Amino acid sequence: MKYYLIAGEASGDLHASHLITSIRREDPQGVFRFFGGDMMAEAAKGCGTLVRHYRELAYMGFIPVLLHLPTILRGIAQCKADITEWKPDCVIFVDYAGFNLRIAKYLREQQKSGSDIKHTKLFYYIAPKIWAWKEHRIKNFKRDIDEMFSILPFEKDFFEKKHHYPIHYVGNPTASEVREFLNENENGNLSPSPSPKERGAGKNGNDNGNDNGNGNDNENWDARNILAILPGSRRQEITSNLPSMLEAARLSTAGTQTKTIVAGAPGIERDFYDVFLKGHEDVEIVFAQTYDLLAHSRAALVTSGTATLETCCFNVPQVVCYKVTPAKVARWAFNHLLKCDYISLVNLIAGREVVPELFADRFSVENIHQHLTAILHDGKEREAMLKGYAEVHRRLGTDNAPDNAAKIMTREVKSE
């Protein structure tokens, strides 16, 4: 069978890569084409083609989208034409609603007109968060999508009870991926901490072949005496959040043995971080080591998104930081336009505030410093957060999301 996938950012690339792996187990003869990234290309090696990398199309916010609109429109046109020409048995949309819903609408219109793709199944893996924003899009899903696959347990009530739209809750891929990582490194025998050269660390992220005068880096990693900073996967997020996160980390770890390490985003060159790391010579940066980093960390500063849930799944206490300007306008919009109480997946799943969310007008170096200090050390705040994490784990369940989704997708495609 022929499978076409569309993912538009780093987290989508990760989740789609695991889905490809699961589909290949169910359908060893399957072939793939996709808009995505390096992880998808690796998962589909030998039986797949990367048509366009998500880096070329991943823009967030009104102004960046407007400035790059011609590129985005060319990408949409290319995707439509490629799918129509290749005639896959199914198209799998992975989050990335703004782009994917345009493609889905076009494909459904083509099917209604009797085109050659009239039997192509349209699946959506990782439902867009319309319960928070643009709830009217439910009509698009009812009209254009054959099967919806949800990864958040509370979405089932939203779609089925409120909108009478049946979906599949298949489990959470982030929870599945972290469990798989921990099982591969069971009993705490995590892979040895890489050298600065191997992990792209060195002074200010530029390898210089030494340990920056901080002693043995392996010992620092193994001691779980690390503060992880996950400042986002997009350049805009990093630019907005990382400077304040670094300053709060410096204040909170002063006089301690805690080492601060930044998780670099895939697809963003190391040089991009240099301007932020000036004046923070003791801070390291790693690439493609986020799970290893979290597995060795005592606490974390995290922007909103999938990273908050990853951090929770590793049982690492965290402070969620997300700068938006103008802050007062952003707070007003959150209170009056968004239909959710929280911005982090951890709190949304728990249904209460488990982790502090320093968003918009609550975002400041002092606030980050205050909340971070409270969880770096043993005490009631740290203990309460870990208890909240346990409730999140229970609600997520233990199903393997990509395996469950792959079984349903391949069954539906083969039955056509």
Side-chain angles (χ1 to χ4, degrees):
M1 296 294 175
K2 297 163 69 175
Y3 303 86
Y4 203 107
L5 293 89
I6 308 171
E9 56 189 356
S11 62
D13 181 31
L14 171 66
H15 297 321
S17 71
H18 288 287
L19 180 60
I20 289 171
T21 299
S22 295
I23 291 174
R24 292 185 70 175
R25 283 196 290 265
E26 297 294 322
D27 182 5
Q29 303 306 313
V31 291
F32 303 84
R33 285 179 73 83
F34 45 89
F35 273 44
D38 299 335
M39 287 181 281
M40 294 170 71
E42 182 62 28
K45 193 172 183 179
C47 62
T49 301
L50 173 61
V51 179
R52 192 159 186 171
H53 203 288
Y54 70 80
R55 283 196 302 264
E56 301 176 40
L57 300 168
Y59 301 103
M60 182 180 70
F62 177 76
I63 298 300
V65 168
L66 188 62
L67 291 174
H68 296 90
L69 189 58
T71 300
I72 295 171
L73 292 176
R74 283 194 297 271
I76 291 172
Q78 179 187 11
C79 189
K80 290 176 180 178
D82 196 55
I83 293 172
T84 304
E85 181 179 351
W86 198 53
K87 302 177 182 63
D89 293 289
C90 74
V91 177
I92 304 171
F93 306 102
V94 184
D95 204 354
Y96 197 37
F99 188 98
N100 277 331
L101 287 178
R102 287 172 177 257
I103 303 298
K105 181 181 179 182
Y106 169 80
L107 296 178
R108 185 62 89 208
E109 289 172 347
Q110 292 296 302
Q111 290 177 333
K112 289 179 179 178
S113 68
S115 74
D116 291 342
I117 60 166
K118 61 184 177 181
H119 297 300
T120 298
K121 292 285 188 179
L122 305 182
F123 299 142
Y124 219 116
Y125 181 63
I126 306 181
K129 301 172 182 62
I130 63 170
W131 36 263
W133 178 249
K134 297 185 178 179
E135 189 171 348
H136 65 273
R137 280 177 166 173
I138 185 64
K139 70 179 187 298
N140 298 69
F141 297 119
K142 289 182 175 181
R143 183 190 64 213
D144 300 331
I145 303 301
D146 293 311
E147 302 284 348
M148 173 74 78
F149 299 84
S150 164
I151 64 169
L152 296 173
F154 61 83
E155 288 183 332
K156 196 165 179 67
D157 282 350
F158 171 82
F159 282 104
E160 295 188 346
K161 291 185 178 180
K162 185 173 183 179
H163 290 289
H164 311 290
Y165 179 59
I167 67 170
H168 305 277
Y169 173 65
V170 292
N172 186 273
T174 297
S176 301
E177 289 150 12
V178 173
R179 278 196 303 271
E180 182 179 347
F181 176 89
L182 293 174
N183 287 338
E184 291 174 354
N185 300 278
E186 60 184 348
N187 300 321
N189 295 321
L190 296 163
S191 57
S193 301
S195 69
K197 184 173 183 178
E198 290 172 323
R199 66 178 185 256
K203 198 168 188 177
N204 277 350
N206 298 311
D207 173 48
N208 57 10
N210 61 43
D211 62 10
N212 293 332
N214 293 312
N216 187 301
D217 280 321
N218 286 2
E219 289 180 2
N220 285 343
W221 276 57
D222 294 339
R224 286 183 61 88
N225 199 25
I226 289 173
L227 169 62
I229 296 183
L230 283 64
S233 60
R234 298 182 177 96
R235 293 174 190 268
Q236 298 160 255
E237 290 178 323
I238 297 165
T239 300
S240 296
N241 291 288
L242 185 54
S244 296
M245 295 168 94
L246 286 169
E247 181 59 20
R250 184 186 65 79
L251 293 172
S252 300
T253 61
T256 73
Q257 296 300 310
T258 303
K259 184 162 193 65
T260 299
I261 302 180
V262 176
I268 296 182
E269 62 279 4
R270 189 183 307 169
D271 291 348
F272 177 77
Y273 293 88
D274 285 349
V275 65
F276 307 112
L277 293 174
K278 288 178 181 177
H280 299 278
E281 283 73 20
D282 57 337
V283 174
E284 294 186 3
I285 182 168
V286 301
F287 292 88
Q289 294 282 337
T290 301
Y291 277 15
D292 264 320
L293 174 59
L294 287 173
H296 289 86
S297 294
R298 179 164 181 82
L301 297 177
V302 190
T303 60
S304 183
T306 304
T308 63
L309 188 55
E310 289 175 328
T311 304
C312 168
C313 288
F314 276 99
N315 283 323
V316 177
Q318 64 183 297
V319 179
V320 177
C321 316
Y322 206 89
K323 184 176 182 179
V324 184
T325 55
K328 290 184 178 180
V329 173
R331 175 59 61 186
W332 182 91
F334 179 77
N335 290 339
H336 295 87
L337 300 180
L338 296 187
K339 298 182 179 180
C340 59
D341 295 326
Y342 307 104
I343 64 168
S344 70
L345 289 175
V346 176
N347 292 344
L348 286 164
I349 294 168
R352 64 183 181 86
E353 186 171 285
V354 172
V355 299
E357 297 182 348
L358 306 185
F359 163 75
D361 55 328
R362 297 174 190 166
F363 181 98
S364 70
V365 170
E366 182 54 38
N367 279 351
I368 300 171
H369 166 48
Q370 178 183 340
H371 285 280
L372 176 57
T373 301
I375 61 170
L376 270 172
H377 310 290
D378 292 331
K380 62 180 182 179
E381 289 88 353
R382 184 180 178 89
E383 182 180 351
M385 194 177 296
L386 292 173
K387 286 182 178 179
Y389 282 181
E391 175 63 17
V392 173
H393 300 330
R394 186 191 69 77
R395 295 191 180 196
L396 288 174
T398 58
D399 286 346
N400 186 291
D403 283 355
N404 286 346
K407 285 182 173 66
I408 298 170
M409 290 176 180
T410 54
R411 183 180 68 228
E412 290 290 321
V413 169
K414 290 175 182 177
S415 67
E416 181 63 40

